[in-house]
């Protein structure tokens, strides 16, 4: 969907409702969490505008792509998916005009600072223990670090800021 307009005959609210009714705990939890974070706690898809629903679909697509790409790389599978039209796949969310352009992690060296390494390990451990914290980390990275998600590529102050909210 890439942030573009859906076909006119596509019922986005119906799509979300079908996902809620499906036997998918993860979809339901993702929708409810997204609604509480970005939608003032309103979980009825028909009470949201189209751009909010598209934002959710784009967000879950991004998370799935990230997870599947990581799995593919771990298995040595190379996948090249063509980009959607020029600048057409920037996700839009309720309350944001556009998410920041993501920096490539390779542009930022991994830290060798012992403090950063210790804080990075704590951050990774929290993410493994709780998927909500993992989602919070992704959001934190998108909002404050240009989308760089590797904790070793953050500075100590950034990691301390994130970890302080879970102390």
């Amino acid at each position: 969907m890439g942030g573009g307009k859906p076909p006119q005959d596509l019922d986005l609210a119906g799509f979300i409702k079908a996902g809620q009714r499906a036997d998918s705990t993860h979809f339901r939890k993702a929708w409810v969490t997204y609604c509480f974070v970005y939608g003032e706690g309103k979980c009825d898809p028909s009470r949201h505008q189209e751009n909010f629903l598209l934002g959710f679909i784009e967000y879950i697509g991004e998370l799935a792509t990230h997870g599947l790409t990581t799995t593919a790389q771990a298995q040595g599978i190379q996948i090249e998916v063509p980009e959607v039209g020029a600048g057409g796949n920037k996700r839009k969310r309720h309350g944001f005009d556009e998410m920041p352009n993501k920096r490539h992690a390779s542009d930022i060296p991994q830290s060798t600072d012992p403090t950063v390494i210790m804080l990075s390990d704590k951050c990774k451990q929290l993410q493994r223990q709780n998927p909500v914290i993992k989602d919070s980390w992704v959001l934190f990275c998108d909002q404050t670090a240009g989308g760089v998600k590797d904790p070793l590529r953050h500075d100590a102050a950034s990691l301390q800021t994130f970890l302080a909210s879970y102390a």
Side-chain angles (χ1 to χ4, degrees), residues 20 31-32 34-49 52-53 94:
Q20 289 177 298
W31 171 250
V32 170
Y34 190 84
C35 289
F36 275 88
V37 172
Y38 299 109
E40 300 170 359
K42 295 185 294 188
C43 296
D44 180 355
S46 63
R47 295 183 64 199
H48 291 285
Q49 294 182 356
F52 181 84
L53 303 174
H94 183 68

Side-chain angles (χ1 to χ4, degrees), residues 74-92:
Q75 295 178 10
I77 300 170
Q78 290 286 82
I79 300 173
E80 292 190 33
V81 178
E83 294 292 324
V84 176
N89 65 344
K90 290 186 180 177
R91 105 177 147 240
K92 294 184 181 191

Side-chain angles (χ1 to χ4, degrees), residues 56-94:
F56 173 71
I57 292 168
E58 187 68 18
Y59 185 68
I60 61 175
E62 180 182 345
L63 292 176
T65 300
H66 174 73
L68 292 168
T69 301
T70 301
T71 300
Q73 288 173 346
Q75 295 178 10
I77 300 170
Q78 290 286 82
I79 300 173
E80 292 190 33
V81 178
E83 294 292 324
V84 176
N89 65 344
K90 290 186 180 177
R91 105 177 147 240
K92 294 184 181 191
R93 294 191 201 153
H94 183 68

Side-chain angles (χ1 to χ4, degrees), residues 92-135:
K92 294 184 181 191
R93 294 191 201 153
H94 183 68
F96 296 91
D97 290 332
E98 286 190 9
M99 294 304 293
N101 289 331
K102 294 186 178 185
R103 296 183 291 180
H104 293 283
S106 61
D107 294 345
I108 304 164
Q110 285 190 333
S111 179
T112 57
D113 178 345
T115 303
V116 170
I117 292 170
M118 178 196 67
L119 293 170
S120 173
D121 288 343
K122 285 182 182 179
C123 183
K124 289 177 183 180
Q125 182 181 16
L126 279 173
Q127 290 180 65
R128 283 187 214 106
Q129 292 172 348
N130 187 328
V132 173
I133 293 175
K134 183 175 183 177
D135 290 343

